[in-house]
Amino acid sequence: MEALIQLTFFVLLLLTTLGIGSALERRHYRSIREREARLGHILVFAERQPPPHFAGQPFHLVSGSVVISSDYFKTIAAGLKALVGGRLTSYETLLDRGRREAILRMKEQAAQHGAQVIFNVRLETSTLNQNRGNSIICAELLAYGTALKAPPIE
């Protein structure tokens, strides 16, 4: 009887974290899409050097950083999936949200400087708290680049 109660509690915990985690993820994606639309005018390039006509324009180092963690359900699901191999889609969405959020924060910083383009954009990812056992998976994502104002049209 006690084992049944514990199993029921565990299943309820999993379903609760699944529901809350999914709702929070949907809300975050909605926020990302809205801000991407608002900041779509700021162009992002991986090119190391801007075109020559940008010479002499003011520039600023801009960055955006985010630390994002997996919820309990995703950690359990990824652990079970890792037993048989294959894509860990629960972590793919986690990293997708993190990358997009870091780029948006970088673009927001560029907008504060009045920049319209960001060159030499780089993305860095590091894993935090990667201990074995009951730890939560966390990742830091950092986007950085050189923000420039577009040269005046002649």
Side-chain angles (χ1 to χ4, degrees), residues 64-68 91 94-96 98-100 102 122-128 130 137-144:
S65 177
V66 64
V67 175
I68 194 161
Y91 287 157
L94 181 78
L95 291 174
D96 176 57
R99 274 190 299 272
R100 290 169 72 178
R122 300 291 180 253
L123 293 168
E124 303 283 335
T125 305
S126 63
T127 304
L128 307 173
Q130 193 180 8
I137 301 298
C138 298
E140 178 189 19
L141 293 105
L142 170 68
Y144 60 94

Side-chain angles (χ1 to χ4, degrees), residues 33-48:
R33 285 189 301 273
E34 289 168 1
R35 290 181 297 145
E36 283 175 340
R38 191 176 73 241
L39 295 167
H41 67 282
I42 299 177
L43 304 177
V44 176
F45 299 96
E47 300 294 323
R48 297 190 80 183

